[in-house]
Amino acid sequence: MDKSLIIGAALLLVLSAGCAPKYTQPELGARKSEILTVGKYQFKDLNKNGTLDPYEDWRLPMEERIADLVSQMTLEEKAGLMFHPNIAVNESGEVKYDLTPEEKEALRRAEEERYAGPIGPGGQNAGAMAMGQMRRTATAKSYIEEKNFRCILNNGVAPPEKFANWSNGMQEIAEGSRLGIPIVFSSDPRHSAKLGGHVSGTQYFSHITNGEGQVGITAGGDLDMMRRFGEIMSEEYRAVGLHMFLGPQIDVITEPRWSRNMGCFSESAELTADMTAALIEGAQGDNVGPGKILVHLKHWPGSGPHLGGSGRWLVYPGNNQEYHYLPWKKGIEKGALAAMGYYSGTYYDSLNVNYSYHMSTEVLYGELGFKGAICTDWGVVGNGPLKPSLQGKTTTKDNMEMIINAGVDQMGSETQPELVVELVKEGRVSEERINQAASRILQWHIILGLFENPYVDPQKAATILQSPENEAFGLEAQRVSNVLLTNNGTLPAKEGIKIFVEGIDPVLASKYATVVDKPKDADLILYRTTSSQDRGGFGPPPAPQPRPNNRNNRPQAAPAPRPDPFAPTEVDIDFPASKLAHLKELVATRKPVVADINPTGSSLVITEELKALPQAMILSFDPTDAAVLDVVFGRHNPKSKLPFEIPSSMDAVRAQKEDVPFDSPNPSFPFGFGLSY
């Protein structure tokens, strides 16, 4: 053989060896699996067969790992992935593995008595349902071992160390299952100044944002602040074993009467898109992996433009549907792999979004290029399709069939995977479609690194949540959640003056001024209130809804007939008359009055009369009393700007088009308005 060929071959081998890929060994967390050593690398033997399967090999591309795992899964295991039910950690941090038959029956009856009814077309009852998300009949054995659930919403609260131990205990049970598939734990927003709604109880996470959204930080206009919020959220979520944020809510505030506006970012789709990108950059980073979380964008297809602000239909009278897609395009570009559809329907096919093949598959996947998995909002299956010809005529199984075949991969809050198995065996849903859904969902588990290590350090968790650095950031975020709308020179107030406070903690206020018991004795009156109507919400109460019969899988009772199924319910967002009258009483004392108004849910109308009453007016987005007092007394110079416009009357609101921004005639305060000292 030619000597030069031998030398060339040897050189090629050396070069080839030098180009071999170099991998970074991830930290493995194994409690039920053996560790396999292959060369100089280690892997978890998740299926306990003594060999390294492709899905266990962290060196392989995600697509190859998922394909191998799906090929090994039974239909029942794949069906379990398509459900996103609720189990909440409790204060004790105890994992409830199983219940006695007597306990199961007693708790089942108790849960039925607590049932709040189906989620309304505009999200009504969502808060009541959230309060019942403990699902006291749920156990680790039932959900993990029997039903094969691997995506679970945990909206419970517990001290950080106990929370982390609970997460570890649940993951250990999952690791011990046949294929060792870990759990993706999701959560609704947790970082509000005061917990309430979807997550209630003691606040163990840092106090950063308004209740359900980011509108306060958006008012500050600082993308770096939003990015840092995402970083802190991911840090604190992962510390206790949470992996997915059910948000952000990227609906655009073009219809001021919609009840969930204060969970959004802005009336500007462009500003919403920019803030969404910043939050994703902080939460997911360049590579999600350990230490980062996934976002779950909601609510597809952008649920701001509801007919009349309530109703059950999304409408586009200004032909402006594409405007509401802008934040979605940005979120997809930034790597979002989860999307949640809303309850409402569109005129395109008279189907609610999650039942619509056009909206879920043709638009989200086809036109916008989404690569992740779609999950329904909670309660969508039980509500049934909104199409008038189908209302009250479908079973739970029928609803699941429509949703899955529309291209939706997961069903929020549901717990009946056996119905999906039946649908496949009956030929109503193809197993190929099930495989597609399972593959989309398993991206979450792979990219988060959970197959390698789903466990967290409980002792470390206790040092991360509410760290001094995170709390300091939170206070600054709450300070910027105040927009100064009017000021005749009364603000900033001088510390040490006599002050009468209402709606403010007087003990806290005493650290800024001398608190007096009567308005007439004060140098300044500070009145803090909300825009909520006296009856506790906006608009009339929702009409009674039929209770879905999920247990027996019978058709739901038909709702009471309506003359026009597309007709909206009038929503009143005027400042409550009783609160206006009380404000007049305070002004009548002839003492300077500062009104701090916190919009709740919807936006609000500020009439010329209301605008002129107090000497200064602040619009705040759920900050702490301390943050408001810092603005009043000048410890913080307000520079924030309105992220949406404020209409001047209900007639002006009615004149607007639901899908068009900045179209209120002669608004009291335009988008971007805000005073400083």
Side-chain angles (χ1 to χ4, degrees):
M1 187 175 182
D2 191 326
K3 187 176 182 180
S4 63
L5 292 177
I6 297 174
I7 295 174
L11 180 61
L12 182 61
L13 287 172
V14 172
L15 291 174
S16 298
C19 293
K22 296 181 180 179
Y23 301 101
T24 300
Q25 171 71 53
E27 178 183 353
L28 302 182
R31 297 188 178 186
K32 296 291 185 178
S33 304
E34 298 295 329
I35 298 296
L36 301 173
T37 301
V38 179
K40 60 179 181 179
Y41 299 113
Q42 292 185 320
F43 309 85
K44 290 170 66 175
D45 184 15
L46 291 165
N47 63 2
K48 298 90 177 167
N49 66 355
T51 62
L52 180 62
D53 291 82
Y55 86 91
E56 300 164 337
D57 191 341
W58 46 261
R59 299 169 300 181
L60 296 178
M62 178 170 62
E63 295 77 11
E64 188 173 338
R65 296 181 69 185
I66 291 174
D68 176 64
L69 178 54
V70 171
S71 72
Q72 295 191 42
M73 296 176 73
T74 65
L75 176 58
E76 288 75 12
E77 288 167 337
K78 289 181 285 192
L81 276 176
M82 299 176 68
F83 290 76
H84 204 135
N86 319 309
I87 299 182
V89 61
N90 57 37
E91 286 277 354
S92 73
E94 176 190 359
V95 173
K96 180 66 70 175
Y97 178 72
D98 199 10
L99 300 173
T100 66
E102 293 76 17
E103 287 174 325
K104 290 179 181 178
E105 177 61 19
L107 289 173
R108 182 189 67 78
R109 292 180 181 277
E111 189 170 78
E112 285 186 346
E113 291 172 1
R114 304 169 66 237
Y115 183 77
I119 304 299
Q124 298 96 333
N125 277 335
M129 176 185 171
M131 297 297 287
Q133 284 179 352
M134 291 294 289
R135 292 249 175 115
R136 291 178 294 175
T137 54
T139 64
K141 178 182 179 181
S142 170
Y143 276 31
I144 300 173
E145 296 179 343
E146 297 173 354
K147 294 179 180 289
N148 301 296
F149 296 148
R150 290 299 183 275
C151 298
I152 294 175
L153 168 60
N154 177 5
N155 275 351
V157 297
E161 189 168 348
K162 292 182 178 180
F163 198 130
N165 274 318
W166 182 90
S167 298
N168 287 345
M170 295 286 283
Q171 295 287 8
E172 184 173 352
I173 295 168
E175 186 186 347
S177 65
R178 191 179 75 89
L179 295 172
I181 300 173
I183 302 167
V184 169
F185 282 113
S186 67
S187 174
D188 280 293
R190 286 181 172 270
H191 284 88
S192 56
K194 181 179 180 181
L195 287 179
H198 287 92
V199 183
S200 298
T202 303
Q203 175 59 290
Y204 294 106
F205 289 72
S206 294
H207 306 77
I208 296 176
T209 66
N210 62 307
E212 284 286 324
Q214 301 74 221
V215 66
I217 295 179
T218 301
D222 188 339
L223 293 175
D224 287 337
M225 177 172 278
M226 188 66 75
R227 192 173 294 109
R228 179 60 184 146
F229 169 51
E231 292 172 351
I232 292 174
M233 189 195 311
S234 65
E235 176 187 35
E236 296 196 349
Y237 271 42
R238 283 305 290 255
V240 296
L242 295 170
H243 316 105
M244 176 179 283
F245 169 48
L246 295 185
Q249 188 182 326
I250 60 175
D251 310 297
V252 183
I253 310 173
T254 55
E255 167 48 69
R257 292 170 289 186
W258 188 45
S259 63
R260 300 191 65 176
N261 281 332
M262 292 306 107
C264 304
F265 289 90
S266 172
E267 186 169 355
S268 165
E270 292 84 1
L271 179 56
T272 298
D274 290 343
M275 288 289 176
T276 297
L279 189 142
I280 293 175
E281 288 167 2
Q284 295 195 170
D286 295 330
N287 298 296
V288 178
K292 291 294 183 180
I293 60 173
L294 288 170
V295 299
H296 196 135
L297 302 180
K298 61 184 187 183
H299 304 89
W300 173 249
S303 298
H306 271 84
L307 178 64
S310 63
R312 51 180 74 192
W313 303 100
L314 298 173
V315 293
Y316 309 95
N319 195 30
N320 209 29
Q321 189 168 6
E322 289 288 330
Y323 184 76
H324 293 262
Y325 291 168
L326 292 179
W328 288 90
K329 292 177 179 178
K330 180 63 72 171
I332 292 168
E333 175 190 320
K334 285 294 180 179
L337 289 173
M340 184 186 297
Y342 201 54
Y343 305 97
S344 301
T346 70
Y347 282 106
Y348 178 84
D349 50 16
S350 296
L351 286 170
N352 26 339
V353 173
N354 295 279
Y355 290 75
S356 172
Y357 180 84
H358 170 69
M359 293 308 307
S360 296
T361 295
E362 293 180 340
V363 179
L364 186 55
Y365 284 112
E367 295 180 20
L368 272 60
F370 181 59
K371 303 296 183 185
I374 307 175
C375 181
T376 72
D377 210 329
W378 268 234
V380 166
V381 173
N383 281 354
L386 292 178
K387 193 177 183 71
S389 62
L390 294 176
Q391 286 184 27
K393 300 178 182 178
T394 61
T395 66
T396 301
K397 189 193 294 187
D398 295 334
N399 297 344
M400 290 183 178
E401 176 188 8
M402 294 179 67
I403 288 169
I404 295 168
N405 285 335
V408 176
D409 308 296
Q410 227 178 32
M411 290 165 279
S413 82
E414 301 301 322
T415 59
Q416 295 177 282
E418 65 275 9
L419 296 182
V420 174
V421 174
E422 292 174 14
L423 286 169
V424 174
K425 292 182 177 180
E426 293 166 8
R428 296 164 63 180
V429 173
S430 71
E431 189 157 3
E432 289 74 21
R433 172 70 189 100
I434 303 300
N435 291 343
Q436 180 188 52
S439 298
R440 289 171 175 171
I441 294 162
L442 284 168
Q443 293 179 92
W444 302 344
H445 302 70
I446 295 285
I447 199 170
L448 286 162
L450 299 181
F451 281 97
E452 284 65 60
N453 187 12
Y455 301 107
V456 294
D457 183 342
Q459 291 183 329
K460 187 177 180 181
T463 67
I464 292 175
L465 273 65
Q466 292 187 358
S467 70
E469 296 80 9
N470 292 354
E471 284 290 281
F473 171 84
L475 177 57
E476 190 59 28
Q478 293 159 37
R479 284 169 169 167
V480 305
S481 297
N482 296 278
V483 179
L484 183 61
L485 295 181
T486 65
N487 184 20
N488 70 350
T490 298
L491 298 183
K494 185 178 180 180
E495 294 195 25
I497 63 172
K498 291 184 290 184
I499 185 173
F500 175 81
V501 296
E502 187 171 339
I504 291 276
D505 179 7
V507 175
L508 182 62
S510 68
K511 298 180 180 180
Y512 296 78
T514 300
V515 178
V516 297
D517 296 330
K518 298 178 181 180
K520 67 181 182 65
D521 297 330
D523 298 317
L524 180 72
I525 296 170
L526 176 55
Y527 174 46
R528 189 175 191 199
T529 187
T530 71
S531 63
S532 294
Q533 301 291 335
D534 294 331
R535 57 180 170 267
F538 291 102
Q545 298 286 329
R547 181 170 173 173
N549 195 330
N550 292 341
R551 189 169 301 280
N552 297 317
N553 196 34
R554 292 195 297 266
Q556 301 169 25
R562 296 180 61 181
D564 179 3
F566 298 102
T569 302
E570 173 72 302
V571 179
D572 179 12
I573 59 171
D574 269 320
F575 190 65
S578 63
K579 294 182 179 181
L580 181 65
H582 183 56
L583 180 58
K584 289 179 179 179
E585 292 174 352
L586 295 174
V587 171
T589 64
R590 299 185 181 275
K591 301 290 185 176
V593 176
V594 176
D596 175 79
I597 301 175
N598 198 128
T600 51
S602 306
S603 183
L604 79 160
V605 165
I606 296 181
T607 62
E608 287 300 316
E609 179 187 26
L610 173 59
K611 183 177 178 180
L613 275 175
Q615 279 65 46
M617 182 184 295
I618 300 169
L619 196 71
S620 64
F621 302 109
D622 286 341
T624 59
D625 286 351
V628 174
L629 289 164
D630 282 352
V631 171
V632 170
F633 286 94
R635 295 186 186 182
H636 172 79
N637 183 8
K639 298 180 180 179
S640 298
K641 308 298 180 183
L642 282 176
F644 50 86
E645 65 184 5
I646 303 293
S648 59
S649 69
M650 280 301 300
D651 285 340
V653 170
R654 297 183 191 101
Q656 294 183 243
K657 293 181 178 179
E658 288 91 341
D659 60 328
V660 177
F662 319 126
D663 66 335
S664 181
N666 301 312
S668 288
F669 299 98
F671 168 82
F673 181 85
L675 302 176
S676 295
Y677 298 149

